[in-house]
Amino acid sequence: MRRTGSMTIFCALATALASIGAAEAAPRAVTSLPDGWRFIQADPQSAETPTLDDAGWQAVSVPHDWAIAGPFDPNAKAAGENGFLPSGVAWYRKSLDLKPQPGRRYYIEFDGIMERSGVWVNGHHIGYRPMGYVSQRYDLTRHLRTDGRNMIAVRADTSAAPSSRWYTGSGIYRHVRLIETSDVHIPQGGAYVRATAISDGQATIAVTTDVQNDSPVAMAVKTEVVLTDPAGHEVARTVTTPTSIAAGRTMILPVELMLPRPRRWDIADPARYRATIRVLAADDTLLDNEDVRFGVREARFDPATGFWLNGRNFKLKGVALHQDGGAVGAAVPVAVWRQRLTSLKAQGVNAIRTAHNVPSPEFLDLTDELGLVVMDELFDQWNVAKTPEDYHLFFGDWHKRDTLDMVRRDRNHPSIILWSAGNEIHDTAYPVQAKAALRSILDIVHAADPSRPVTMALFRPNVTKDYDNGLADMLDVVGQNYRENELIAASRQNPKRSIVGTENAHNRSNWVPVRDYAPFSGMFLWTGIDYLGEANRSGWPNIQNPAGLLDRTGRQKISGMERESWWSERPVLHVVRNADPGAAGPSTDGAGGPNQPVLPTMIAVATPKPKVALFDDWTPQDRTPHDETIEVYSNCQQVEAFLNGRSLGTLPINQDASPRRWSVRYAPGEVRATCRDPGSESVSDRLRTAGKPVRIELKPDAPTVGSTFDDMVYVRARVVDANGVTVPSAAQKLHFAVRGAGRLIATANGSSVDHTPFPSPDRAALNGLAVALVRGAGKGHFTVTATADGLKAGTADLDATR
């Protein structure tokens, strides 16, 4: 009887393998689906049906954020939280020429649909997801037509507003792809690669692969794993023994490989390896495959000494970032993030907090590539609301699946060093409820990714007694927003606590305690880049929160200059004009300067900003002699300042990181500051007095740009005088145009109150500056021009690639 049973199983497996062979089992096929979509910003009846006539709908490509085109409206339903931009229901449809083959599975994967999305194929509803940030994959297989004529329909609904405290975008705003696999395959997020032991001579690489058997019979399956180094050379290989997986079941297949002489992923050397995972039948027929980029690194938080990476102890000099890309909205090309993140890293930033949601996969690919460590945040609310229509309505039903999907998607990224379970969660006012929710999230994260700790951004923990009632000590790393001295006190109260500032203001009074207290792992500024929305407290006409080190065009602000002088490890020197040195520092978050109180961020956002007193120019409105202050941000030990070539003296660095200042009587001409440290005498900066505006100067960030969605170049316009000095009072309306193999995508100036739609070719200069965002339109050459009344036109020539 046993022999007969064994023969029956063997015959079934052989039949299954023969079926796979007949179908010519093939590697996984991934096809991007950017084009051929039809779009309508409305909610028509029967929009999901294949027979609907959508000829009158707009042709679009995805990623696509329809709301960023505007208009800005003071009566917008989502109000200032959403930057006074529109919200509502929209539909997308795409025909899919796809004939299903026996033994194959077909999935459509969306990296993000904002929000409350539904997906249909050929009129069949195949999925719904309330959260707009989570990636989602749906199985199309059983609903596909044998003649290959298929229709995908997607409903995206942001009409329940406000559902967020910042601009979220609307529509299919991230990438979409079709994935074809065998019936036996790796499910979404099913491949996990991590280093479990690392030495200079060897690293142990643990690879766990979920294999799902959707065939009608049991299958004998094995996995082959090949590791290649950053140069593409094979460095390790192994194959598991066959394992039988029952029909309709999923099994985890673990394996370990020894990686010789590992090159560690680090912020200065972000080296990445590749694990090629192949799922094989017992006879070596290929069933599925997946490539995973990973890094080998040791990251840990120590209660006594803070953060460590690969044996080095240093402060996390971080910034929080929302997901919008300024003029492009929530559908952000990789090139926009590359410009922004590269600029932030050049200022000394080494860490990013994804506030307050998981980012796009390509954002994390970029932090892996650039060497920026990441706090990946999951939620902005649990069961208690912050806005009437936010995720609290869905947390109870969806947080477990959302948490698991988000962690499984992102856990292979070496840049991620810390998960955050939530930001300023208001459930903490109800400790029993909060602890239950936190325990649920912690259990899921630790099971899916045992390699990383979990924190959360505690909200007024001394008020809700989080440090006394046990909630804070459920966290692997205790995080708190603002009030750095409270977190230091919590550390001293319980020296076993690892601590990190999860959100912090820009002032010296916020930075110095972090800098000088060894257990403080670091801080994350609010915020790294100005962002759309959260203007409900400042109110119309404001459309943004201007608290960044960079403005929305990616340009460094004065607050970024000062921060660079504190955080950069290379010699830094910036000179500015301070028209009122007793009134304000460079902070733009409402937290004030040296003589102003430090305000909690929620109050600071609502507080009118002090009159701007800091200027990146030597062109005051009053050109007669008067008192001015030259202010220098520098990490040089000695700095000498000059006015029109006359030395004003040398000043040493201040221990409290405050700027160096020279009081002078204003005279037009040139202010210059120079580092006097041995070997750094070439580090200097200058300001020059501007004359009347004469012409427009255009300068692209790069001379060449591609033609895909993720390609983009900023062309930066300056209104200058006859000597090429930017005229800070210039506010002319610039008209941008593109001729040749290029496209104008948007224009911007970083203003809080400019309501010109971003796709407009017309943009007023702000402080003499504006930008055009362009990309290629196929291989060739193109010219960008900017014109304005009374000014000589500017031109910039670029080359486009496909």
Side-chain angles (χ1 to χ4, degrees):
M1 291 296 293
R2 289 181 181 175
R3 183 181 181 86
T4 301
S6 298
M7 286 298 294
T8 301
I9 293 172
F10 176 81
C11 289
L13 291 174
T15 301
L17 293 176
S19 173
I20 290 170
E24 291 298 320
R28 169 181 298 222
V30 180
T31 305
S32 181
L33 299 177
D35 300 321
W37 292 87
R38 311 290 290 182
F39 165 78
I40 189 170
Q41 203 276 289
D43 196 12
Q45 289 290 322
S46 304
E48 77 281 5
T49 59
T51 57
L52 179 82
D53 182 5
D54 58 15
W57 291 23
Q58 180 184 355
V60 300
S61 297
V62 298
H64 178 245
D65 173 11
W66 63 261
I68 197 60
F72 292 99
D73 181 355
N75 298 312
K77 184 177 181 182
E81 286 93 336
N82 201 48
F84 297 101
L85 283 161
S87 55
V89 177
W91 281 85
Y92 296 80
R93 288 164 57 90
K94 178 178 173 60
S95 60
L96 199 61
D97 185 7
L98 177 63
K99 293 182 180 180
Q101 301 298 312
R104 303 294 282 174
R105 311 294 297 184
Y106 303 88
Y107 300 89
I108 191 166
E109 184 174 76
F110 300 88
D111 287 339
I113 306 171
M114 190 60 66
E115 60 182 347
R116 290 167 165 84
S117 61
V119 180
W120 289 257
V121 56
N122 297 326
H124 299 279
H125 186 244
I126 57 172
Y128 165 78
R129 214 61 184 259
M131 175 180 272
Y133 302 105
V134 68
S135 296
Q136 44 201 287
R137 182 184 294 184
Y138 299 114
D139 190 345
L140 307 176
T141 309
R142 69 189 182 97
H143 301 299
L144 294 174
R145 292 168 54 112
T146 57
D147 63 5
R149 298 171 58 190
N150 301 286
M151 177 61 67
I152 304 295
V154 178
R155 185 179 189 268
D157 182 4
T158 55
S159 63
S163 63
S164 173
R165 299 181 297 115
W166 58 87
Y167 179 75
T168 62
S170 294
I172 305 176
Y173 71 102
R174 292 180 181 169
H175 287 289
V176 185
R177 63 194 60 85
L178 177 71
I179 301 173
E180 178 186 348
T181 72
S182 164
D183 277 343
V184 180
H185 59 276
I186 304 169
Q188 183 182 23
Y192 179 35
V193 182
R194 63 191 176 105
T196 57
I198 305 173
S199 68
D200 290 341
Q202 179 176 276
T204 303
I205 306 301
V207 181
T208 56
T209 307
D210 295 2
V211 179
Q212 185 171 325
N213 180 12
D214 284 328
S215 75
V217 296
M219 289 290 296
V221 170
K222 57 185 178 181
T223 58
E224 177 189 62
V225 180
V226 178
L227 302 184
T228 52
D229 67 15
H233 303 126
E234 181 178 324
V235 290
R237 178 188 292 259
T238 192
V239 181
T240 65
T241 56
T243 300
S244 180
I245 304 177
R249 301 301 296 270
T250 299
M251 184 170 288
I252 299 174
L253 303 183
V255 66
E256 286 189 344
L257 300 90
M258 298 300 114
L259 177 65
R261 299 177 301 280
R263 181 175 161 191
R264 287 174 170 83
W265 184 95
D266 207 298
I267 58 175
D269 181 23
R272 288 177 293 169
Y273 289 78
R274 183 185 302 272
T276 299
I277 304 169
R278 302 171 77 229
V279 180
L280 306 172
D283 67 349
D284 290 336
T285 301
L286 177 62
L287 302 176
D288 195 15
N289 61 285
E290 187 169 337
D291 284 0
V292 176
R293 299 294 296 271
F294 71 97
V296 178
R297 89 288 186 275
E298 295 175 291
R300 65 185 177 90
F301 291 81
D302 182 80
T305 55
F307 178 69
W308 293 76
L309 181 65
N310 298 325
R312 291 189 303 114
N313 181 214
F314 59 87
K315 296 292 184 184
L316 295 175
K317 300 171 181 177
V319 295
L321 296 178
H322 276 312
Q323 72 161 0
D324 81 80
V328 295
V332 189
V334 168
V336 170
W337 280 124
R338 182 179 297 278
Q339 185 278 329
R340 290 170 159 212
L341 294 180
T342 301
S343 179
L344 287 170
K345 188 170 184 181
Q347 296 178 43
V349 171
N350 61 24
I352 304 294
R353 175 193 180 200
T354 65
H356 304 291
N357 49 266
V358 293
S360 66
E362 58 270 19
F363 179 95
L364 294 172
D365 290 339
L366 199 54
T367 56
D368 289 347
E369 174 192 338
L370 296 177
L372 289 161
V373 299
V374 173
M375 179 198 301
D376 199 345
E377 193 152 66
L378 304 179
F379 302 109
D380 189 46
Q381 56 281 127
W382 296 346
N383 294 291
V384 179
K386 293 182 180 177
T387 59
E389 301 292 342
D390 65 26
Y391 187 76
H392 84 281
L393 298 171
F394 307 102
F395 180 84
D397 293 330
W398 283 94
H399 82 273
K400 291 182 179 180
R401 181 175 176 183
D402 287 343
T403 298
L404 182 61
D405 284 355
M406 291 186 287
V407 172
R408 281 168 60 91
R409 191 201 74 175
D410 291 350
R411 60 187 175 174
N412 292 311
H413 288 281
S415 57
I416 298 174
I417 57 164
L418 189 62
W419 300 104
S420 171
N423 169 64
E424 295 186 350
I425 298 300
H426 291 185
D427 297 48
T428 56
Y430 314 97
V432 173
Q433 172 178 297
K435 289 180 185 179
L438 179 57
R439 174 49 55 199
S440 177
I441 295 170
L442 288 172
D443 288 348
I444 294 167
V445 176
H446 287 152
D449 179 23
S451 72
R452 294 178 179 88
V454 181
T455 188
M456 67 180 287
L458 294 176
F459 177 67
R460 311 283 176 86
N462 281 2
V463 175
T464 52
K465 308 300 181 184
D466 300 343
Y467 294 130
D468 302 319
N469 63 23
L471 185 138
D473 293 318
M474 294 174 65
L475 299 168
D476 305 313
V477 178
V478 178
Q480 177 175 330
N481 285 4
Y482 306 97
R483 300 174 179 81
E484 293 76 15
N485 290 322
E486 284 187 11
L487 189 52
I488 290 172
S491 166
R492 288 172 172 158
Q493 177 192 45
N494 182 352
K496 294 182 179 180
R497 291 170 173 159
S498 294
I499 62 170
V500 66
T502 42
E503 189 169 308
N504 305 85
H506 290 248
N507 303 291
R508 294 193 306 279
S509 60
N510 306 112
W511 164 236
V512 172
V514 177
R515 183 194 69 180
D516 294 344
Y517 186 60
F520 224 127
S521 297
M523 69 191 308
F524 290 84
L525 294 176
W526 194 262
T527 178
I529 306 172
D530 295 354
Y531 59 93
L532 293 168
E534 203 164 8
N536 50 307
R537 295 182 178 89
S538 54
W540 181 269
N542 295 290
I543 61 171
Q544 70 164 355
N545 185 312
L549 302 178
L550 307 179
D551 70 13
R552 295 197 318 271
T553 73
R555 178 177 178 267
Q556 186 182 42
K557 297 166 62 176
I558 292 176
S559 57
M561 297 176 188
E562 181 175 54
R563 186 62 48 168
E564 184 181 4
S565 75
W566 297 345
W567 282 5
S568 180
E569 296 182 5
R570 59 179 176 78
V572 169
L573 193 153
H574 294 286
V575 59
V576 300
R577 175 171 61 90
N578 190 334
D580 190 2
S587 299
T588 58
D589 58 358
N595 296 328
Q596 292 180 294
V598 177
L599 302 176
T601 187
M602 296 180 70
I603 299 174
V605 169
T607 302
K609 306 298 185 291
K611 183 179 179 181
V612 175
L614 292 164
F615 301 90
D616 188 18
D617 65 60
W618 193 244
T619 312
Q621 291 183 350
D622 180 5
R623 304 296 180 89
T624 65
H626 62 277
D627 290 338
E628 286 282 1
T629 297
I630 298 167
E631 185 158 297
V632 169
Y633 310 124
S634 179
N635 54 9
C636 294
Q637 293 300 308
Q638 299 287 332
V639 172
E640 185 176 7
F642 301 83
L643 175 59
N644 293 328
R646 178 175 61 87
S647 176
L648 304 175
T650 301
L651 291 178
I653 196 168
N654 294 318
Q655 180 59 31
D656 67 352
S658 59
R660 281 164 269 197
R661 292 171 174 159
W662 291 261
S663 297
V664 298
R665 293 291 288 174
Y666 174 77
E670 179 184 272
V671 166
R672 181 167 55 90
T674 299
C675 182
R676 288 308 185 198
D677 296 356
S680 299
E681 294 88 346
S682 62
V683 177
S684 65
D685 192 21
R686 67 174 181 170
L687 303 174
R688 292 188 292 166
T689 304
K692 293 181 179 180
V694 171
R695 60 185 173 88
I696 303 168
E697 181 182 282
L698 293 186
K699 184 177 181 181
D701 282 357
T704 303
V705 61
S707 301
T708 71
F709 170 82
D710 281 315
D711 299 310
M712 188 83 74
V713 162
Y714 289 90
V715 179
R716 301 188 182 274
R718 294 193 302 133
V719 179
V720 301
D721 68 5
N723 296 315
V725 179
T726 303
V727 181
S729 60
Q732 288 89 342
K733 180 182 289 186
L734 309 185
H735 177 79
F736 292 93
V738 174
R739 183 178 69 255
R743 292 178 56 204
L744 176 66
I745 305 303
T747 63
N749 57 17
S751 170
S752 291
V753 295
D754 186 347
H755 302 138
T756 306
F758 292 119
S760 172
D762 298 316
R763 184 67 51 183
L766 177 67
N767 301 324
L769 307 172
V771 300
L773 285 74
V774 302
R775 69 164 57 102
K779 186 175 182 180
H781 179 82
F782 68 97
T783 300
V784 181
T785 62
T787 57
D789 291 343
L791 299 177
K792 182 181 178 181
T795 63
D797 294 321
L798 295 95
D799 291 314
T801 61
R802 295 191 185 279

